[in-house]
Amino acid sequence: EHHMMGAQPDGLFHPEQGMPRGQTLRLFLDVAGVIDIPTPSSNPFPDVSATHPLAGYLLRASQLGIVRGYEAGDFRIDRIVSLIEAIKMLLLTFRIPADQLHNLPSYTDVPMGVWYVPFARYVMDHRLIVTQPDGSMGRDRQLTRAEIADLLYRFFQDRPDLLQNFM
């Protein structure tokens, strides 16, 4: 069963609402066709119960190396996803090869040496976002449901070969 970005309980899409990290991860795994979602007896993230509806998705994403959590080991499942977090999850979910992720300068708000340099560079090279007027990507900006939908649209415009898993 695919859990796409459909309507909220009131039947509306609410494009302006922030997209939580857990829902973003579930969406990306579903779109990528990851179907072997386990029923966890425990969870690798201490802030998420094994009985949480998204716990199986978190466990599978952790097993696949898509997410590792924050320094303290927590995941913050209900926190609104930032742009750079969403990009990392998206690119790792779709297994973009390491040789396509370059440690090169990109945006003004992406200093060399930080973990997300190759992800930001991929976004720049493939024009997955609109650069801010100051040359930044807005890496810490919290994304809305509409912005996640746009990110997916742009990603599949660039990589239609990866959409076949979903069709």
Side-chain angles (χ1 to χ4, degrees):
E1 174 184 353
H2 290 286
H3 300 275
M4 294 300 106
M5 285 179 59
Q8 297 288 38
D10 64 2
L12 301 174
F13 180 67
H14 295 287
E16 75 289 349
Q17 282 185 350
M19 187 78 165
R21 288 167 44 89
Q23 289 180 18
T24 302
L25 181 63
R26 180 189 70 186
L27 173 67
F28 291 168
L29 290 171
D30 281 345
V31 171
V34 176
I35 57 173
D36 51 344
I37 304 300
T39 303
S41 57
S42 65
N43 197 303
F45 302 102
D47 64 325
V48 181
S49 162
T51 60
H52 189 285
L54 299 177
Y57 286 89
L58 289 179
L59 178 58
R60 187 67 182 126
S62 176
Q63 292 167 342
L64 293 171
I66 297 168
V67 295
R68 291 191 320 222
Y70 290 94
E71 292 80 24
D74 55 337
F75 184 76
R76 304 176 194 170
I77 197 166
D78 294 320
R79 181 174 175 228
I80 303 303
V81 71
S82 72
L83 174 61
I84 200 64
E85 291 169 337
I87 288 166
K88 177 190 175 196
M89 285 188 239
L90 179 65
L91 298 182
L92 293 181
T93 298
F94 282 92
R95 297 183 177 104
I96 299 302
D99 67 351
Q100 293 181 28
L101 299 174
H102 306 291
N103 247 340
L104 297 170
S106 57
Y107 300 96
T108 59
D109 60 341
V110 179
M112 290 301 294
V114 294
W115 64 265
Y116 48 86
V117 167
F119 301 108
R121 184 59 195 219
Y122 184 93
V123 167
M124 176 180 261
D125 290 345
H126 295 266
R127 300 176 186 198
L128 298 185
I129 64 168
V130 175
T131 303
Q132 303 295 309
D134 65 357
S136 71
M137 73 181 306
R139 69 173 193 260
D140 296 325
R141 184 170 45 90
Q142 294 182 331
L143 298 185
T144 64
R145 292 168 56 85
E147 290 169 318
I148 291 291
D150 184 64
L151 180 62
L152 280 169
Y153 173 79
R154 289 172 182 263
F155 179 71
F156 288 122
Q157 286 293 306
D158 183 61
R159 293 295 309 267
D161 57 303
L162 296 176
L163 190 56
Q164 66 189 356
N165 292 332
F166 183 66
M167 301 308 277

